[in-house]
Amino acid sequence: MQQAIFYHAGCPVCVTAEQQFAQALDPARYAVEVVHLGQDARRVAEAEGFGVQSVPALVIDGQAFHINFGAPLSALK
Amino acid sequence: MQQAIFYHAGCPVCVTAEQQFAQALDPARYAVEVVHLGQDARRVAEAEGFGVQSVPALVIDGQAFHINFGAPLSALK
């Protein structure tokens, strides 16, 4: 089982991406954790460590994928 | 079964996204078609019709999600 982390900030772009993307991953292979950086700002540094620059973003196996564009990470600090 | 279309152009960013993203979708719910727009330029217009502006991009249920940035669609015409 691979770990996948979906970082978002509650923005409309984020919600759409979560519903149609994060939840589309194969549950047999991926354990998806959803992190709201607006509510848990302490994890912004963790996201940055994976190379996340904006939300929404999905980190799979340590690699960051930016999905469309909702907000820059700098707006969440 | 929902249709998902992964548009790419063979670029390194595209290949990574395909391997770690398009193939991560739940095969029980999504039939993923992979389209190389560099090799099949006739489908560029189709991609544009879904709102795709750059590759790699994944269209799920008619909605376009841009994943990171490899190349603008205009470079593939």
Side-chain angles (χ1 to χ4, degrees):
Chain A
M1 184 71 82
Q2 278 191 290
Q3 177 69 20
I5 309 174
F6 181 77
Y7 293 104
H8 73 108
C11 54
V13 171
C14 296
V15 172
T16 301
E18 182 192 350
Q19 291 177 343
Q20 293 223 289
F21 225 108
Q23 295 179 8
L25 296 183
D26 184 355
R29 289 179 291 154
Y30 297 92
V32 182
E33 180 188 12
V34 177
V35 176
H36 189 316
L37 290 177
Q39 293 175 352
D40 195 353
R42 291 168 305 177
R43 297 189 65 173
V44 170
E46 167 197 300
E48 284 181 321
F50 287 123
V52 172
Q53 297 178 347
S54 62
V55 288
L58 187 65
V59 173
I60 298 179
D61 203 19
Q63 182 145 17
F65 294 97
H66 300 89
I67 306 160
N68 291 341
F69 181 82
L73 227 58
S74 58
L76 302 171
K77 294 182 182 178
Chain B
M1 186 71 80
Q2 278 190 290
Q3 178 70 19
I5 310 173
F6 181 76
Y7 294 103
H8 74 108
C11 54
V13 171
C14 297
V15 172
T16 301
E18 182 192 350
Q19 291 176 345
Q20 294 222 291
F21 224 108
Q23 295 178 10
L25 297 182
D26 185 353
R29 289 179 291 156
Y30 296 92
V32 182
E33 180 186 12
V34 176
V35 177
H36 190 316
L37 291 177
Q39 293 175 352
D40 195 354
R42 290 169 305 177
R43 297 189 65 173
V44 170
E46 168 197 299
E48 285 181 321
F50 287 123
V52 173
Q53 297 178 347
S54 62
V55 288
L58 188 66
V59 173
I60 298 180
D61 203 20
Q63 182 146 17
F65 294 97
H66 300 87
I67 306 160
N68 292 342
F69 181 82
L73 226 58
S74 58
L76 303 171
K77 292 182 183 178

